[in-house]
Amino acid sequence: MRPRQNSCCFTGHRPNKLPWGYDESDPRCLALKRRISDSVESAYEEGFRHFLCGMAQGCDLYFCESVLALRQRHPEVSLEAVIPCPTQADTWPAAQRARYACLVSACNLETLVSAHYTPSCMLRRDRYMVDHAALLIAAFDGTAGGTRYTVEYAIRRGISIVDLSIE
């Protein structure tokens, strides 16, 4: 178990809530990816060495890729894939499933939160990440859903939040 004070987690929207959807060449997406990368770098500079990612489509995968890039420069960085259930990516488009599989295999550690899908397994994953971190990086537009739940849970738990607002 990694010390919580050295751990950072992430929450963010899936493509259906992003103004650009799956178009990662959109300038707004590229700008968000830069902000995520900058936030990951800042977290590293502040002493964070372990990163937890919920591995959802969209912003989670951007975060995962940023941490993997950071780990190439700083091998002491570790990345934990926090997977809500074994079927998380089963219904995703083929390219996204392949990306997910590649990213999960590149992580240092996989934590499976639930042995099978349940209506609450995604929220269990989110709570696990917040409960094991001292910093939450959030790419969030304020709307209801899992990202908002995670931000509100982090506020209740008193962990620091870096807000990467999506407009």
Side-chain angles (χ1 to χ4, degrees):
M1 178 75 56
R2 307 283 191 291
R4 178 181 175 156
Q5 67 270 18
N6 296 333
S7 298
C8 169
C9 64
F10 178 83
T11 190
H13 293 303
R14 292 178 178 89
N16 66 324
K17 278 200 168 177
L18 297 171
W20 54 86
Y22 285 95
D23 181 8
E24 293 183 36
S25 67
D26 185 288
R28 296 166 295 179
C29 182
L30 296 173
L32 175 61
K33 286 182 176 186
R34 279 191 300 276
R35 292 196 328 266
I36 290 171
S37 182
D38 290 348
S39 296
V40 166
E41 186 71 39
S42 293
Y44 176 82
E45 290 169 6
E46 291 171 22
F48 292 92
R49 298 295 181 265
H50 183 66
F51 295 82
L52 300 101
C53 182
M55 305 307 294
Q57 288 185 83
C59 294
D60 280 12
L61 298 187
Y62 310 163
F63 173 79
C64 186
E65 290 164 344
S66 290
V67 174
L68 290 171
L70 177 73
R71 190 178 72 187
Q72 286 184 331
R73 298 187 311 278
H74 303 285
E76 70 278 14
V77 165
S78 61
L79 178 58
E80 180 176 354
V82 183
I83 299 170
C85 63
T87 58
Q88 178 177 21
D90 285 2
T91 61
W92 296 5
Q96 291 295 310
R97 285 195 315 270
R99 181 183 192 183
Y100 170 86
C102 182
L103 291 174
V104 169
S105 70
C107 290
N108 300 83
L109 174 67
E110 288 178 45
T111 299
L112 184 62
V113 176
S114 179
H116 53 83
Y117 175 81
T118 67
S120 64
C121 69
M122 304 296 176
L123 299 179
R124 284 184 64 204
R125 174 213 40 214
D126 299 340
R127 287 191 305 271
Y128 173 92
M129 290 190 304
V130 169
D131 289 344
H132 290 84
L135 176 67
L136 171 67
I137 298 172
F140 180 49
D141 67 3
T143 59
T147 300
R148 181 172 169 177
Y149 172 87
T150 305
V151 168
E152 290 173 350
Y153 184 71
I155 290 168
R156 289 193 307 273
R157 298 286 294 165
I159 77 166
S160 299
I161 299 173
V162 173
D163 180 11
L164 305 178
S165 296
I166 297 177
E167 298 158 6

